[in-house]
Amino acid sequence: MRIVSLLPSLTELVCALGRRVDLVGVTHECDYPAGVERLPHLTRSRIAATASSAAIDAAVVEQGGSLYDLDGDVLAQLRPDLILTQEQCDVCAVNEATVRRVAAGLATAPWVESVNPTCLADLDAMFRRIGVLLGAVEAAESLVARFDATAAVIARRRQGRPLRRVLVLEWFDPPFSSGHWNPEIVALAGGVEVLGEAGQRSRRLSWGEVADADPELIVLSPCGFTIERTEQELTELQARPEWTRLEAVRSGGVTLVDGSAYFSRPGPRLESSLKIAAAAIDPEACGDLAPVAGWRRLPAL
């Protein structure tokens, strides 16, 4: 089978299911596991990688549709049997309708599988569905079981300990709440998401809403940004008067996360996202669970 993946999380999933050798093409954003970035790239962004959060948001509003282009010529040359794509977010990946239109003209008549997970149950179903397509059912079940086992470990460690009020920010300028599976991850880690809603899209917030919610803890995980890229945005964020008045900021309760790798990428590393959330919420009970890299706490003001 010749597989093309048009979403970084699906690229990770194919590899985690043991079918890395069958991948023939990926997106320009696929960077994990190491080596997949050397495969042919089928997409490109219409926005400069160095654009600020505000500039990116303005481009999203102005362009309306997908922010990515698909290279149909390269796709044809790769002769895929299976194309994995998504219908969830045109801002995050190539538009599904574009993928299906281009695929319909290919000589290989590839199967196009599109995913749209909005919650953890959907993600389990997605893992299992891709497992069926790739003949890797047992490997898919193992991934689901591993996440559940981690959640059980966190629950045991935090038994009887208080819930914490948490805000996951998926964008800074303007601020966006978390959504989809992330409020569920916060809940499994021992918190209550104060503005994000499970199963719903992330939404644009006002800084007044953030100030009124005044969370105990904040996880900064801007969608698609590495931790280094996010650090470039911190100066403007920290200059906001609303920010400096937040309890989480004053008390050292802010955690900076590689959003590209973890919370905003619905793949196998969501288990690591759960561990990071648990370590941020309850470092005494769960601090040892989180990976060493890809996150850090900001000092108190």
Side-chain angles (χ1 to χ4, degrees):
M1 184 183 294
R2 297 175 62 80
I3 304 170
V4 160
S5 170
L6 298 178
L7 195 66
S9 60
L10 292 174
T11 297
E12 289 193 29
L13 181 55
V14 170
C15 294
L17 294 176
R19 299 298 294 271
R20 163 67 179 83
V21 68
D22 295 320
L23 273 174
V24 296
V26 296
T27 77
H28 67 287
E29 293 182 325
C30 292
D31 56 6
Y32 188 88
V36 297
E37 71 279 0
R38 295 193 292 270
L39 290 168
H41 291 178
L42 290 152
T43 63
R44 55 183 171 269
S45 175
R46 299 172 187 167
I47 299 176
T50 56
S52 68
S53 295
I56 292 173
D57 181 73
V60 170
V61 173
E62 179 182 356
Q63 296 191 31
S66 178
L67 303 181
Y68 299 89
D69 293 317
L70 177 65
D71 194 326
D73 291 338
V74 174
L75 185 62
Q77 293 168 13
L78 293 176
R79 300 178 290 107
D81 302 303
L82 173 64
I83 299 175
L84 300 176
T85 187
Q86 60 90 47
E87 57 194 87
Q88 185 174 64
C89 177
D90 287 348
V91 176
C92 302
V94 174
N95 175 273
E96 182 205 13
T98 299
V99 175
R100 292 192 180 277
R101 175 177 52 79
V102 174
L106 298 180
T108 53
W111 180 265
V112 177
E113 184 72 19
S114 184
V115 302
N116 183 26
T118 61
C119 61
L120 291 179
D122 288 349
L123 285 165
D124 289 349
M126 182 184 85
F127 283 20
R128 290 174 171 130
R129 171 59 180 164
I130 303 300
V132 168
L133 289 174
L134 303 190
V137 173
E138 290 186 9
E141 290 296 341
S142 178
L143 291 177
V144 172
R146 192 172 72 189
F147 184 94
D148 291 344
T150 294
V153 167
I154 293 169
R156 285 197 299 271
R157 290 191 181 196
R158 297 207 74 257
Q159 187 171 7
R161 300 171 74 85
L163 298 177
R164 307 294 300 281
R165 299 176 65 256
V166 180
L167 173 63
V168 178
L169 283 179
E170 294 191 358
W171 205 248
F172 298 164
D173 192 6
F176 269 75
S177 70
S178 72
H180 298 118
W181 48 84
N182 281 326
E184 292 179 274
I185 285 180
V186 167
L188 290 173
V192 176
E193 169 61 67
V194 295
L195 290 174
E197 295 184 51
Q200 302 298 316
R201 290 180 178 272
S202 59
R203 66 181 181 89
R204 187 185 297 258
L205 303 171
S206 69
W207 280 109
E209 286 180 274
V210 175
D212 289 343
D214 199 17
E216 297 176 76
L217 302 169
I218 297 175
V219 176
L220 300 176
S221 181
C223 183
F225 277 14
T226 64
I227 197 166
E228 293 80 13
R229 180 69 176 80
T230 302
E231 287 172 337
Q232 298 173 20
E233 303 279 325
L234 283 180
T235 300
E236 291 189 20
L237 178 65
Q238 292 169 335
R240 296 200 64 91
E242 302 95 337
W243 179 258
T244 58
R245 292 195 292 266
L246 295 172
E247 177 184 347
V249 176
R250 297 195 308 271
S251 65
V254 179
T255 299
L256 183 64
V257 176
D258 186 330
S260 176
Y262 296 117
F263 290 81
S264 61
R265 188 176 290 194
R269 284 189 292 174
L270 275 186
E271 183 206 2
S272 295
S273 303
L274 175 58
K275 291 176 177 178
I276 291 170
I281 288 169
D282 195 339
E284 181 180 346
C286 301
D288 63 310
L289 294 177
V292 174
W295 70 289
R296 68 179 180 87
R297 290 189 183 86
L298 298 183
L301 286 184

